[in-house]
Amino acid sequence: MEIILFFLFFSIGFGLWIRASISLGQLFNKALGEEGLVKQIENQLKYFDQFWGLIFGKPDNYSIYRPELDPYIKKAKSDLKQAFVVILFIVICLVVSSAL
C-alpha cells in the first residue's frame, strides 16, 4: 500500500513540476523574447536570479519586469508552490513510512 501511495504522489508531483517548468518557460519567452535556443538559454542563465526575484520577490525591483508579465508571474508562482508542496508531502511521507 505504501509503494502505491508513493508512486501516486510521485507521479502527481512530477506532473506538477512539469507544469511549473512549462509556466516558467512561458515567462522566460515573454520576458526575454523568443530567440534562438542558444541565446535563450544564455539569457535564462544570465537573468536567473531576477526570474526567481520576479516570482518570489517584489517584481518592481527588477529590470526585466514589465506589467504585461503579471499573469505569467502569477501562474508560475502558483505552479511552483503547488509542486513544492507536493514534493514536501512526498518527503514527509517517506520519512514517516521509514520510521514506522
Side-chain angles (χ1 to χ4, degrees):
M1 183 67 177
E2 295 167 0
I3 293 176
I4 294 171
L5 285 176
F6 171 73
F7 283 118
L8 177 69
F9 290 138
F10 182 79
S11 61
I12 291 171
F14 188 66
L16 288 174
W17 186 257
I18 290 173
R19 190 172 95 185
S21 298
I22 291 171
S23 297
L24 284 172
Q26 291 172 346
L27 175 62
F28 289 149
N29 287 338
K30 186 69 174 173
L32 299 175
E34 297 192 24
E35 301 172 357
L37 181 63
V38 173
K39 186 68 173 169
Q40 184 180 12
I41 292 172
E42 180 182 308
N43 283 336
Q44 288 177 3
L45 294 174
K46 184 173 158 184
Y47 295 111
F48 184 75
D49 58 334
Q50 289 194 24
F51 279 110
W52 285 108
L54 283 176
I55 294 170
F56 293 112
K58 186 174 181 181
D60 299 334
N61 295 337
Y62 299 97
S63 62
I64 61 173
Y65 173 72
R66 295 186 309 269
E68 63 264 11
L69 295 177
D70 283 338
Y72 295 98
I73 293 170
K74 288 179 183 175
K75 182 166 177 16
K77 180 187 275 189
S78 163
D79 290 345
L80 277 172
K81 283 182 180 179
Q82 289 174 1
F84 287 148
V85 166
V86 170
I87 290 170
L88 180 66
F89 188 70
I90 291 171
V91 169
I92 290 171
C93 286
L94 286 174
V95 169
V96 169
S97 68
S98 67
L100 296 177

